[in-house]
Amino acid sequence: MKEFKAGMLAVSKAGHDKGRLYVVLNADQEFVYLADGKNRSVTSPKKKKRKHIQINYYIPEILKQALEAEQKLEDEQIKKAIKEYKNQQEV
């Protein structure tokens, strides 16, 4: 089983939020806890089964820096990272 790390991007494959981009906050054997900074904040993450997400092993630079400094991820950082990633994909 692949290891999911905090800060990785993930896309929902199932449910009413299908296609939505999230950031992984935490993961255990069965579930992944996700946030997007808007609808799902760091304080109330989305709980999804591993099989219902498509993981992207890319960690945006802003999140990588925060995690290396052992800071807790904040909603503003998550929103900015998702926005920058979407802008890169459009180019």
Side-chain angles (χ1 to χ4, degrees), residues 49-66:
K49 288 194 175 190
R50 286 175 170 252
K51 67 181 180 179
H52 292 154
I53 63 164
Q54 174 66 46
I55 195 74
N56 181 340
Y57 293 96
Y58 171 73
I59 299 177
E61 194 62 36
I62 189 170
L63 301 179
K64 193 181 294 185
Q65 291 172 357

Side-chain angles (χ1 to χ4, degrees), residues 34-76:
L34 309 165
D36 66 1
K38 293 179 187 176
N39 300 327
R40 286 298 181 163
S41 67
V42 175
T43 57
S44 62
K46 175 87 174 154
K47 179 180 174 183
K48 267 187 127 35
K49 288 194 175 190
R50 286 175 170 252
K51 67 181 180 179
H52 292 154
I53 63 164
Q54 174 66 46
I55 195 74
N56 181 340
Y57 293 96
Y58 171 73
I59 299 177
E61 194 62 36
I62 189 170
L63 301 179
K64 193 181 294 185
Q65 291 172 357
L67 292 169
E68 286 173 356
E70 296 182 10
Q71 297 173 344
K72 189 174 179 187
L73 295 180
E74 297 177 8
D75 291 329
E76 291 301 317

Side-chain angles (χ1 to χ4, degrees), residues 25-38:
L25 297 179
N26 198 358
D28 57 29
Q29 292 297 325
E30 191 175 354
F31 294 102
V32 179
Y33 300 90
L34 309 165
D36 66 1
K38 293 179 187 176

